[in-house]
């Protein structure tokens, strides 16, 4: 078998420019080039090489790595395949985290579409939660808060709002005014190095819809519920961002769930 470049490209479902590029990169040289016409010809060994290149490329290897593999022995192949496997595992891990974020966001949108919110205070039991602390406080201005978020973001493989459940950790004083203690990045499952640890406890929960309305009104409804049911708030509270500007540009759509820890 001897095919000119156009026929060989068509046979393998690639472009002629791809074959030129593979030639320049030293991946696949023509079996023979007519010196008078400059026509390039490929044979059965060329097809074997092309088949190998396409297989390795589909496995996630770069052209540089493929060039090394085409001349590698079994030991070198093992090293390169191990590196590729680790890179692929990391990619899959990131994509799984992205999938969880999309599922969490779609679930919130579905709740919004059906009006399935906690519009009245409700007593619930919430299990242990862990996460990371982002050092901000009530007195910090916008620039300081952004700087704290950016510092936390460093070295994270994905955006923190994708990796974690964003929240505000609050402290309720005797005057019943909630004060920001820090930002929290809650994890899907417990972590060993967590600085934010919230043991299982009872919480009075209510969803605050439309961020333009005062969040204190929601807190007041929770406090009123506590008095009616003879519950004492411990001073610990959490504000979970359920629908935020990442999901909608309309502040009327934004939902923040208020969770106030209580004791009977």
């Amino acid at each position: 078998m001897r095919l000119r470049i156009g026929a060989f490209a068509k046979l393998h479902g690639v472009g002629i420019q791809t074959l030129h590029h593979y030639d320049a990169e030293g991946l696949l040289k023509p079996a023979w080039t007519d010196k008078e016409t400059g026509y390039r010809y490929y044979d059965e060994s060329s097809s074997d090489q092309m088949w190998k290149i396409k297989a390795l490329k589909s496995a996630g290897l770069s052209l540089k790595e493929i060039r090394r593999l085409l001349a590698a022995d079994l030991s070198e192949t093992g090293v390169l395949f191990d590196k590729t496997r680790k890179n692929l595992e990391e990619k899959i891990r990131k994509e799984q985290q992205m999938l969880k974020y999309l599922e969490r966001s779609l679930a919130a949108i579905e709740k919004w579409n059906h009006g399935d919110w906690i519009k009245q205070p409700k007593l619930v039991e919430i299990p242990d939660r862990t996460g990371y602390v982002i050092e901000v406080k009530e007195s910090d201005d916008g620039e300081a808060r952004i700087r704290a978020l950016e510092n936390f973001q460093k070295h994270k493989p994905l955006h923190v709002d994708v990796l974690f459940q964003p929240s505000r950790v609050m402290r309720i004083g005797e005057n019943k005014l909630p004060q920001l203690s820090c930002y929290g990045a809650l994890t899907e499952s417990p972590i060993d190095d967590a600085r934010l640890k919230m043991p299982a406890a009872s919480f009075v929960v209510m969803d605050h819809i439309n961020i333009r309305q005062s969040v204190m009104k929601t807190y007041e409804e929770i406090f009123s519920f506590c008095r009616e049911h003879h519950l004492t708030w411990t001073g610990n509270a959490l504000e979970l961002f359920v629908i935020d500007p990442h999901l909608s540009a309309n502040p009327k759509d934004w939902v923040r769930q208020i969770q106030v820890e209580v004791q009977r």
Side-chain angles (χ1 to χ4, degrees):
M1 180 187 82
R2 180 178 287 183
L3 298 175
R4 283 176 54 174
I5 189 169
F8 186 80
K10 185 177 181 180
L11 177 65
H12 287 280
V14 298
I16 292 176
Q17 290 301 320
T18 297
L19 293 177
H20 286 312
H21 182 59
Y22 285 177
D23 184 7
E25 291 292 322
L27 290 169
L28 179 61
K29 296 287 185 182
W32 177 70
T33 302
D34 189 320
K35 293 183 180 179
E36 293 185 3
T37 63
Y39 290 155
R40 307 176 189 209
Y41 293 87
Y42 296 82
D43 58 15
E44 289 186 21
S45 65
S46 306
S47 283
D48 291 341
Q49 189 87 325
M50 172 59 79
W51 195 251
K52 191 184 301 183
I53 291 169
K54 293 175 77 172
L56 294 171
K57 190 176 179 184
S58 68
L61 278 77
S62 67
L63 293 183
K64 181 179 179 181
E65 290 169 331
I66 292 172
R67 184 170 63 244
R68 288 177 57 193
L69 276 174
L70 293 175
D73 60 19
L74 201 58
S75 176
E76 292 174 287
T77 299
V79 171
L80 275 171
F81 272 25
D82 184 59
K83 176 185 174 184
T84 303
R85 176 177 58 83
K86 290 176 180 176
N87 290 339
L88 186 58
E89 287 174 344
E90 177 63 19
K91 181 181 178 182
I92 291 172
R93 189 179 68 83
K94 289 181 182 179
E95 290 180 345
Q96 287 174 335
Q97 290 170 326
M98 292 166 62
L99 182 60
K100 288 180 180 179
Y101 168 72
L102 293 174
E103 289 173 342
R104 187 172 73 234
S105 300
L106 285 169
I109 293 170
E110 188 72 10
K111 286 181 67 176
W112 176 262
N113 290 337
H114 290 87
D116 188 20
W117 300 111
I118 304 175
K119 298 178 181 178
Q120 300 295 327
K122 178 181 179 181
L123 180 63
V124 298
E125 300 296 323
I126 299 180
D128 293 345
R129 290 176 286 182
T130 61
Y132 296 99
V133 169
I134 303 173
E135 298 289 357
V136 296
K137 52 185 181 296
E138 192 71 42
S139 59
D140 287 342
D141 60 17
E143 182 179 345
R145 297 187 186 197
I146 292 172
R147 190 181 299 114
L149 284 168
E150 290 294 345
N151 286 336
F152 181 73
Q153 175 68 61
K154 289 178 181 177
H155 311 302
K156 298 291 187 297
L158 294 169
H159 193 278
V160 295
D161 284 359
V162 174
L163 289 172
F164 310 107
Q165 170 71 63
S167 62
R168 287 162 50 96
V169 181
M170 311 298 290
R171 185 66 188 169
I172 302 172
E174 293 182 0
N175 57 5
K176 296 191 297 185
L177 290 177
Q179 296 288 312
L180 177 67
S181 295
C182 65
Y183 286 161
L186 298 180
T187 55
E188 289 273 347
S189 54
I191 52 174
D192 295 332
D193 61 340
R195 287 186 56 203
L196 179 59
K197 297 181 180 180
M198 303 185 69
S202 301
F203 288 82
V204 176
V205 173
M206 184 174 174
D207 290 323
H208 177 73
I209 304 170
N210 185 354
I211 203 66
R212 284 180 174 169
Q213 296 181 3
S214 173
V215 71
M216 277 309 303
K217 183 176 183 296
T218 301
Y219 274 102
E220 287 295 342
E221 290 189 49
I222 290 175
F223 296 146
S224 177
F225 178 91
C226 290
R227 287 190 293 268
E228 290 173 11
H229 294 81
H230 308 289
L231 300 169
T232 305
W233 52 86
T234 65
N236 299 321
L238 194 71
E239 298 181 2
L240 288 181
F241 293 95
V242 181
I243 294 183
D244 58 15
H246 293 112
L247 302 183
S248 174
N250 186 354
K252 292 183 178 180
D253 295 338
W254 300 350
V255 179
R256 187 187 302 178
Q257 185 172 98
I258 312 300
Q259 302 177 352
V260 175
E261 184 180 355
V262 296
Q263 294 176 340
R264 298 178 186 274

